[in-house]
Amino acid sequence: TTALFLMPLLFTFLTARSRGVAVRGATVEGKMEREFNLSFRERLRYHQFSITSLGILLVLGSLSGLIHVGLEVIAMLAMYAVVSRPIRYRLTSAGIAVNRVVFRPWAEFRGYQSRKGSIRLIGNTGANRFDIRVDAQRYPSVTSLLTRRLKPIVSALDRRREVILDH
């Protein structure tokens, strides 16, 4: 049963690792306009789902007695190693890339929204969204570049907040 419990742990690490490193990297097209690395805090937010999944698995394994404390420590160190790897966004004249793992052309997006903890690129019909996970201090520099290619989209919730704040 311990071996079966290790499968979800392995899957969690592979998922987290694949978000930062690709076996066969995406081709980054266009002229480089801006490149920025995420800080450690931003990388924690970038890998938030994998970190949470690992935490839940470690708690379940600990409570059930399926895994040893030594294995839990190794698992935490392995996730730290994954989070410590650099994550780099590249904004080019043709689109946006993350660590050569994914490249998305600007034509796939109709605009962007500033959200808590990220800037969300809104996909056109048939295209999915794309989140740029940066701290609020970086919003102005990133949105100034995005505004060259995309228009800001204000959500209905943002409009309601503005109305409430104006009164």
Side-chain angles (χ1 to χ4, degrees):
T1 58
T2 302
L4 288 176
F5 191 78
L6 294 177
M7 298 284 285
L9 284 175
L10 182 62
F11 182 73
T12 300
F13 289 115
L14 291 176
T15 302
R17 178 101 168 114
S18 69
R19 295 194 70 214
V21 178
V23 174
R24 201 178 93 212
T27 303
V28 179
E29 300 171 4
K31 181 182 169 220
M32 183 70 64
E33 292 181 355
R34 173 86 184 199
E35 178 177 278
F36 56 94
N37 291 322
L38 295 186
S39 67
F40 185 76
R41 181 177 167 172
E42 292 167 330
R43 289 192 311 263
L44 284 173
R45 197 170 325 109
Y46 183 81
H47 289 292
Q48 182 176 355
F49 181 80
S50 297
I51 293 169
T52 304
S53 298
L54 177 66
I56 291 169
L57 288 170
L58 292 179
V59 167
L60 288 173
S62 177
L63 292 175
S64 66
L66 288 175
I67 57 175
H68 189 269
V69 175
L71 184 59
E72 289 181 348
V73 171
I74 290 170
M76 288 185 276
L77 290 173
M79 185 57 76
Y80 177 77
V82 169
V83 172
S84 294
R85 293 203 39 97
I87 300 291
R88 181 178 302 117
Y89 285 100
R90 291 183 177 109
L91 285 76
T92 71
S93 58
I96 183 168
V98 179
N99 275 20
R100 290 185 46 110
V101 172
V102 65
F103 176 80
R104 301 274 304 270
W106 296 121
E108 290 186 12
F109 306 108
R110 61 183 171 94
Y112 70 90
Q113 291 177 331
S114 293
R115 303 167 44 90
K116 184 181 177 189
S118 68
I119 298 170
R120 176 167 285 175
L121 305 184
I122 308 299
N124 287 323
T125 304
N128 205 355
R129 69 175 193 249
F130 185 89
D131 291 329
I132 303 172
R133 303 204 187 273
V134 292
D135 285 333
Q137 303 93 309
R138 288 210 215 195
Y139 282 15
S141 64
V142 175
T143 56
S144 68
L145 290 165
L146 291 175
T147 306
R148 295 180 193 168
R149 308 276 181 222
L150 305 169
K151 63 181 178 176
I153 297 174
V154 179
S155 68
L157 179 62
D158 292 335
R159 284 192 205 106
R160 277 185 261 152
R161 285 184 189 144
E162 288 175 10
V163 169
I164 290 169
L165 292 175
D166 287 342
H167 284 78

